[in-house]
Amino acid sequence: MSEMTESSEAKSADLSLKEYALSPLNSDKRKPQPLALVIFGATGDLASRKILPAICRLAIRGELPDEFVIVGAASSEIDDEGFKKIVNEATKDIEDPEGVWENYSKRFRYVSGDYLSKETFVQLNQVLSEVDDQYNIGGNRVYYLATIPKLFSVVADGLKSVACNKPKRKDNFVRLVVEKPFGVNLESSKALDVDLHTAFEENQIFRIDHYMGKETVQNVLALRFANAIFEPIWNRRYVDHVQVTVAESLGVEHRGAFYETAGALRDIVQNHVMQVLSLTLMEPPSSMDAGGIRDEKVKLLKAVEIADIDEQVNNVVRAQYGPGEIEGEKVVGYRQEDGVSPTSETETYVATRLYVDNWRWAGVPMYVRTGKRLAKRITEVSMVFQRPPHLPFAGRLSRDLRPDVLSLRIQPDEGISLSFGAKIPGPAFKVKSVSMDFSYKEAFPEVTVDAYERLLLDAMMGDPMLFIRTDEVEQAWKIVAPIQESFLQGEPPLARYPSGSFGPIEAERLIQASGRQWQNL
Ligand code: BG6
């Protein structure tokens, strides 16, 4: 065991953060250039839960430049001190023994105002000029849109109105980070792009899908392209079908009102599932850079068959959770959640079957399921292999033999497992499925970097590889469009499942229709 591992076991989580900063794992530590990070929606939930803690950890690990400042912007009428209180509250559980974050946060500024008023942006520009001078920021900006989606275009327009959308000097950068949802359908996502592109060039726009920041999602690429043994079997000759599961045990929490306008299809399938699917199924890129990877992802998405609506209805299940129990605790059904209509038809579960029309995957069904309030939280991709063409054992001896499965577990218990047949000890030649497991945490016990930390740092560094390009967003909307359309027409009828279950019976039927079954959660 390395020195770092021994000590990190003995010390608190935040000391291991510091150790991580000094560890060989972090030897390729990168630091952005001086910059101001402007968070729009700075008093909101996303800023407090994700952005501020991520920035704080980056600061404590020494991954931010000395010349760094956050400027918060929102409509709440607070001042710089009020914003610092919000920052402190959001980061209070992160230990900062050397006061690194405290020092940074002393400089944080806040601009209060209505995004529809030019005055707000004039004021923001003024504050940015002041921090440029005070802290040698030099004019570099990263704007983070953590507002409600309908304000994305308004803010982009406001920034343009005071010429904050373009670098002031040749060697400056100005970037815009946008959180999903990127529209609510193909048309609105295109309209959003037109709006954003009137103020920003595509290469200035960094669209976040936080799944791309997860180490284990990136590990799909390592598994496929750092090894020679998987590639030969990664195709229709050996793979019977693929399953992608994004199961959550949480309900909609306090986001009921938002979720009513989203539903599982838009919230998870259009983005996170498509990202995981495209990385798993795409062709090998010629290089591990932004262009190479994103081109291959788009090519894969373009090959996904877009069914017509009538056909799609038979290949999709939509369902909603009712009351039930999660880990022994009674929980309410979706329609009883705050902000949700008691007659809501919004789906909290989707299962569907897709096909990829290309040489590698033709005819291989891709089963996808996602839902809230399921028995367990688990995100994984499983490649289920074809059965051997002939089993030389009597049927009763191989009753417990299932097809071989390679499962890439994205969360929790991140890892990879391969299940295959083995002989049961004893005189009879009885076989059953066993599993060989690789645990990410056991192999790499060092602190792993949170998805937001990775993505924020990449945006500040200007590395677009893990961000979503506009053509990917568009293609993903095209894939889900027929499903959206059939849901709008009330088809298929909304099924139900109790909270804490494995999902609706209709999803079992969907996969069983072809003689297959879902992997156990
Ligand atoms: C978000 C969705 O994008 O992803 C949430 O809006 C969902 O509804 C969340 O809970 C899941 O993320 P994670 O990282 O917990 O799998």
Side-chain angles (χ1 to χ4, degrees):
M1 202 185 266
S2 73
E3 208 182 295
M4 192 206 127
T5 320
E6 279 169 1
S7 49
S8 56
E9 272 180 358
K11 293 177 189 170
S12 75
D14 280 289
L15 279 182
S16 14
L17 259 185
K18 218 179 108 198
E19 285 164 0
Y20 171 84
L22 304 171
S23 81
L25 225 204
N26 200 29
S27 57
D28 56 349
K29 193 152 81 179
R30 310 164 302 163
K31 240 188 209 184
Q33 307 212 336
L35 75 123
L37 173 69
V38 182
I39 306 176
F40 293 97
T43 56
D45 186 58
L46 179 65
S48 289
R49 275 189 315 114
K50 299 287 186 189
I51 306 171
L52 292 167
I55 295 288
C56 169
R57 288 198 194 90
L58 288 173
I60 293 171
R61 284 211 304 267
E63 292 185 71
L64 294 184
D66 291 340
E67 306 82 359
F68 172 84
V69 77
I70 293 183
V71 179
S75 57
S76 312
E77 288 177 4
I78 52 170
D79 57 9
D80 292 348
E81 288 313 309
F83 179 52
K84 281 174 212 163
K85 276 192 196 139
I86 291 178
V87 172
N88 290 342
E89 182 59 29
T91 54
K92 66 175 191 284
D93 294 334
I94 305 172
E95 276 187 37
D96 180 22
E98 281 154 33
V100 177
W101 179 241
E102 202 188 331
N103 276 339
Y104 274 112
S105 60
K106 279 185 195 141
R107 343 168 160 161
F108 293 174
R109 302 286 302 272
Y110 180 80
V111 174
S112 150
D114 178 356
Y115 298 136
L116 284 167
S117 152
K118 184 173 173 188
E119 184 46 40
T120 308
F121 293 91
V122 171
Q123 211 190 322
L124 174 68
N125 199 11
Q126 172 63 31
V127 169
L128 285 170
S129 304
E130 284 167 26
V131 296
D132 269 351
D133 293 344
Q134 260 176 303
Y135 308 112
N136 290 325
I137 301 290
N140 293 328
R141 317 271 183 252
V142 171
Y143 303 114
Y144 198 121
L145 295 182
T147 63
I148 51 170
K150 73 171 184 205
L151 293 175
F152 291 174
S153 309
V154 179
V155 173
D157 200 44
L159 287 167
K160 188 179 172 197
S161 72
V162 290
C164 276
N165 56 328
K166 294 217 154 47
K168 291 206 167 53
R169 292 198 324 247
K170 228 173 160 188
D171 56 346
N172 275 163
F173 59 80
V174 173
R175 303 185 186 121
L176 183 74
V177 179
V178 194
E179 255 310 304
K180 78 166 190 65
F182 311 118
V184 294
N185 54 24
L186 181 59
E187 289 68 41
S188 57
S189 92
K190 280 186 178 168
L192 172 66
D193 256 353
V194 169
D195 288 352
L196 296 183
H197 285 151
T198 55
F200 293 89
E201 305 290 333
E202 176 62 19
N203 64 10
Q204 291 180 282
I205 303 175
F206 288 67
R207 295 180 195 78
I208 285 197
D209 179 315
H210 77 279
Y211 264 55
M212 288 298 291
K214 290 183 191 275
E215 284 286 345
T216 40
V217 170
Q218 294 163 44
N219 196 38
V220 172
L221 297 177
L223 177 93
R224 291 193 57 197
F225 306 130
N227 302 295
I229 59 169
F230 299 112
E231 191 50 27
I233 54 169
W234 214 260
N235 56 52
R236 63 190 301 275
R237 287 186 63 194
Y238 298 95
V239 176
D240 174 76
H241 72 282
V242 177
Q243 295 188 17
V244 178
T245 301
V246 180
E248 296 184 83
S249 54
L250 286 180
V252 289
E253 306 294 287
H254 50 279
R255 296 161 72 229
F258 158 76
Y259 201 83
E260 278 285 85
T261 64
L265 186 70
R266 287 179 188 152
D267 192 40
I268 302 280
V269 179
Q270 189 272 344
N271 34 72
H272 305 328
V273 167
M274 291 301 157
Q275 290 302 314
V276 171
L277 204 64
S278 55
L279 287 178
T280 309
L281 304 178
M282 71 186 199
E283 293 300 310
S286 55
S287 61
M288 277 295 193
D289 58 25
I293 290 186
R294 299 198 297 181
D295 286 350
E296 292 305 336
K297 279 165 67 192
V298 175
K299 269 197 327 217
L300 187 281
L301 292 174
K302 284 191 172 160
V304 175
E305 191 179 283
I306 300 180
D308 60 40
I309 301 172
D310 298 339
E311 202 182 314
Q312 191 60 57
V313 170
N314 302 320
N315 290 331
V316 67
V317 171
R318 64 178 187 129
Q320 193 185 70
Y321 64 80
E325 258 185 36
I326 300 267
E327 289 168 5
E329 298 244 326
K330 285 208 177 347
V331 293
V332 297
Y334 177 69
R335 289 179 178 176
Q336 290 82 50
E337 301 274 16
D338 280 351
V340 171
S341 153
T343 55
S344 173
E345 288 280 297
T346 303
E347 80 287 353
T348 60
Y349 181 102
V350 173
T352 191
R353 189 182 70 195
L354 301 167
Y355 282 101
V356 177
D357 283 339
N358 66 12
W359 192 267
R360 188 187 284 266
W361 297 116
V364 178
M366 312 292 169
Y367 289 95
V368 162
R369 61 179 163 167
T370 180
K372 290 202 181 279
R373 280 284 188 237
L374 296 174
K376 251 184 156 176
R377 172 176 187 245
I378 182 164
T379 300
E380 70 175 16
V381 185
S382 296
M383 312 298 286
V384 182
F385 291 94
Q386 293 175 13
R387 288 191 179 265
H390 167 70
L391 279 179
F393 324 105
R396 66 189 168 79
L397 298 178
S398 56
R399 220 176 8 230
D400 295 329
L401 191 63
R402 295 186 303 273
D404 301 340
V405 182
L406 181 68
S407 291
L408 317 181
R409 227 170 18 257
I410 289 165
Q411 62 190 22
D413 307 329
E414 293 80 354
I416 297 173
S417 60
L418 178 65
S419 87
F420 55 95
K423 181 182 173 302
I424 303 176
F429 210 99
K430 244 179 151 182
V431 284
K432 71 173 276 200
S433 294
V434 292
S435 158
M436 197 158 74
D437 292 313
F438 156 75
S439 156
Y440 216 69
K441 279 202 188 100
E442 271 172 35
F444 305 106
E446 300 87 351
V447 176
T448 51
V449 176
D450 164 80
Y452 273 87
E453 290 166 42
R454 170 69 201 261
L455 293 172
L456 275 159
L457 193 59
D458 281 1
M460 292 191 275
M461 299 287 302
D463 179 354
M465 185 171 94
L466 299 176
F467 295 85
I468 318 301
R469 220 165 53 188
T470 178
D471 46 355
E472 287 181 65
V473 177
E474 209 171 283
Q475 201 53 37
W477 279 121
K478 283 187 186 159
I479 295 168
V480 299
I483 310 183
Q484 277 191 295
E485 194 51 44
S486 64
F487 285 6
L488 276 178
Q489 295 173 8
E491 291 288 344
L494 187 70
R496 307 280 158 158
Y497 61 101
S499 289
S501 67
F502 290 103
I505 185 78
E506 287 77 355
E508 301 298 326
R509 290 193 195 119
L510 174 81
I511 193 164
Q512 280 165 7
S514 65
R516 300 175 170 103
Q517 52 186 330
W518 293 111
Q519 295 297 300
N520 280 338
L521 280 183

